[in-house]
Amino acid sequence: MTDAPSTPENPWPVRTVARKVLEWINRLGPVWVEGQVTQLSSRSSTAFLTLRDPSVDMSMSLTAPSMLLRDMQLTEGSRVVVHGKMNFYPARGTLSLRVDEIRAVGIGELLARIERLRKLLHAEGLFDPRRKRRPPFLPNKIGLITGRASAAERDVLTNARGRWPAAHFRVINVAVQGVQAVPQVVTALSTLDRDPECDVIIIARGGGSVEDLLPFSDEALCRAVAECRTPVLSAIGHEPDTPLVDHVADVRCSTPTDAGKRVVPDVAEETERVRQMRDRGRRALHGWVDRERRLLDQLRSRPALSDPYGPLDRRAEDVKRLREQAQRAVEGRLDREEINLSGTKARLTTLGPAATLARGYAVVQLVTPDGVDGVLRSTAEAPAGTQLRVRVVDGAIRAVVTESEEEGGGTGG
């Protein structure tokens, strides 16, 4: 019979809930599970283990026949793969995995898994050099994730402050091996990444065995480093050690000592570089000033600047000379034209009637009402009683003969 739905008026008893949970779990069937052994105890024929996921803070309880553990020499921290079926104990409300087979994960298998993970992360582009960021030249604050009172912490701090005494660190101590390493490093990384004053993060650990360095090849840690907005320096182990986090980090340092040297500049070297730059700048400035001074000297030695009034004086003399030449030319022309004009006037005077008249001569035309009647050679040719009147027209003297007054004639005009 199907149970009625659970309501406030008709709640399920504990036994019903426990029974339903047991039914759901029984549907799961046998499973293979991988993890890291964190607790191990044995009671006569039954062994109790705690299997932890090394990437996250999760674990589950295991029970197994003690005979399965006798020949495996399992210790806390061992990586294993177990096969079993989930069991739910309704009386206590607990859940555990009943194990019937345990396989230790050897070094070869671990390295093979790391290689498969390396290929996966490389295919996703997490190792791409183009996504790596350059750490700042002189960080304001340096985040350091390392073990407590470890040689790696001492090496980083000593070498960094030896190169730059004013280097400021924010150190977060975490577990660097074992089941707690990955969660604590990921949490510390997130904390430093949110710190606005932290410009660079160093993850440092000394050397160790392959098993000791396994947390730094964990997929969760590698992806956390790839998602970090702050540049990350990886300083794990010694030079031959290359965990996957070295490939994901922005800068790989061979050792923690190398990280301390690379995270800050050397104050002595920078001081010497500043001195050299100042010397180069001083020499360049002096050279430029010398060149400009020589150029000014050359410009000042040119005639236009050394004797600015000399050309003007010479030009003034040329102008004066040309003015005198022009004046003499004009005056000579005027004199010549005046002479020419005087000669022309003399000729006109000689040829004109005025001179003749001045000597007492005249050319007289006889003008009658019918018109001009020739030239009178003498007054005897004029009719008796004709009055002569002389008129000058256009410089010519004309005599107008009129009829005699006795005849009542008018003036000829």
Side-chain angles (χ1 to χ4, degrees):
M1 180 178 180
T2 304
D3 294 321
S6 176
T7 63
E9 292 76 17
N10 185 26
W12 287 349
V14 174
R15 61 181 179 275
T16 302
V17 176
R19 177 173 51 81
K20 288 184 175 294
V21 171
L22 181 60
E23 292 175 356
W24 292 333
I25 292 175
N26 288 334
R27 295 173 189 170
L28 177 63
V31 293
W32 287 95
V33 183
E34 179 187 0
Q36 192 172 26
V37 177
T38 57
Q39 294 181 3
L40 178 62
S41 63
S42 179
R43 297 179 185 176
S44 64
S45 62
T46 303
F48 300 90
L49 303 86
T50 299
L51 197 65
R52 184 183 183 85
D53 190 325
S55 300
V56 294
D57 190 12
M58 291 185 181
S59 61
M60 67 167 52
S61 298
L62 279 66
T63 59
S66 298
M67 57 180 299
L68 293 178
L69 279 68
R70 289 174 184 171
D71 299 332
M72 297 190 63
Q73 298 180 351
L74 293 181
T75 59
E76 293 187 3
S78 299
R79 297 287 291 267
V80 296
V81 176
V82 300
H83 180 269
K85 188 177 184 302
M86 295 299 302
N87 286 331
F88 178 71
Y89 300 95
R92 299 190 302 271
T94 59
L95 183 69
S96 67
L97 180 68
R98 180 65 180 177
V99 177
D100 54 25
E101 184 178 354
I102 301 177
R103 298 180 184 179
V105 179
I107 297 299
E109 178 63 20
L110 290 175
L111 294 178
R113 293 183 183 183
I114 291 175
E115 180 62 20
R116 289 195 295 271
L117 179 58
R118 187 191 68 79
K119 293 180 179 179
L120 174 63
L121 298 179
H122 184 273
E124 294 181 7
L126 269 64
F127 298 168
D128 191 347
R130 292 175 296 182
R131 61 168 295 277
K132 297 182 183 298
R133 294 150 299 183
R134 183 186 298 273
F137 173 74
L138 183 60
N140 179 45
K141 181 189 289 186
I142 305 168
L144 176 59
I145 302 174
T146 187
R148 183 181 302 277
S150 62
E153 177 181 359
R154 183 176 61 256
D155 290 345
V156 172
L157 296 180
T158 301
N159 285 277
R161 287 171 177 164
R163 291 170 60 86
W164 196 270
H168 180 49
F169 281 85
R170 179 181 178 183
V171 181
I172 298 181
N173 296 121
V174 297
V176 292
Q177 68 183 53
V179 296
Q180 298 293 333
V182 173
Q184 291 186 11
V185 173
V186 171
T187 301
L189 190 66
S190 176
T191 300
L192 293 176
D193 192 32
R194 293 193 303 267
D195 188 347
E197 296 182 355
C198 189
D199 296 332
V200 66
I201 300 173
I202 301 175
I203 303 176
R205 188 203 187 282
S209 63
V210 176
E211 295 88 344
D212 294 338
L213 300 181
L214 280 178
F216 298 97
S217 293
D218 186 84
E219 181 177 3
L221 178 57
C222 290
R223 295 190 181 278
V225 171
E227 295 173 358
C228 192
R229 295 172 297 178
T230 307
V232 178
L233 276 67
S234 174
I236 308 302
H238 302 298
E239 179 65 32
D241 300 322
T242 55
L244 295 183
V245 73
D246 281 354
H247 301 286
V248 181
D250 297 289
V251 178
R252 176 188 180 272
C253 302
S254 58
T255 60
T257 299
D258 184 37
K261 293 179 178 179
R262 298 179 66 173
V263 72
V264 292
D266 188 345
V267 65
E269 293 178 359
E270 297 305 318
T271 302
E272 177 63 19
R273 186 175 290 110
V274 170
R275 187 191 65 78
Q276 293 176 0
M277 295 297 291
R278 291 178 62 184
D279 291 343
R280 290 175 57 186
R282 185 182 299 107
R283 289 194 298 269
L285 181 59
H286 287 174
W288 178 80
V289 171
D290 292 340
R291 288 193 301 272
E292 297 300 319
R293 182 175 295 170
R294 287 194 297 269
L295 178 60
L296 288 176
D297 292 340
Q298 294 174 2
L299 294 175
R300 292 173 60 185
S301 64
R302 293 180 180 178
L305 294 179
S306 61
D307 185 17
Y309 295 104
L312 295 178
D313 294 339
R314 290 191 293 272
R315 293 295 181 268
E317 294 175 357
D318 294 341
V319 170
K320 181 180 179 180
R321 177 174 53 80
L322 293 175
R323 287 180 62 185
E324 292 176 351
Q325 292 179 359
Q327 184 175 359
R328 288 194 299 270
V330 172
E331 289 177 352
R333 181 64 180 272
L334 291 176
D335 291 342
R336 290 193 298 272
E337 294 301 327
E338 185 176 359
I339 294 172
N340 294 336
L341 182 59
S342 299
T344 302
K345 287 175 62 178
R347 289 194 300 271
L348 290 176
T349 301
T350 303
L351 298 176
T356 303
L357 295 176
R359 293 194 301 269
Y361 295 93
V363 177
V364 180
Q365 291 179 335
L366 178 63
V367 180
T368 65
D370 295 331
V372 177
D373 190 15
V375 178
L376 297 180
R377 293 182 175 85
S378 66
T379 56
E381 295 181 3
T386 301
Q387 295 181 353
L388 296 178
R389 295 181 181 180
V390 179
R391 182 163 60 100
V392 178
V393 179
D394 297 331
I397 301 175
R398 294 184 179 184
V400 180
V401 181
T402 62
E403 295 181 358
S404 62
E405 293 180 358
E406 289 81 0
E407 295 178 357
T411 301

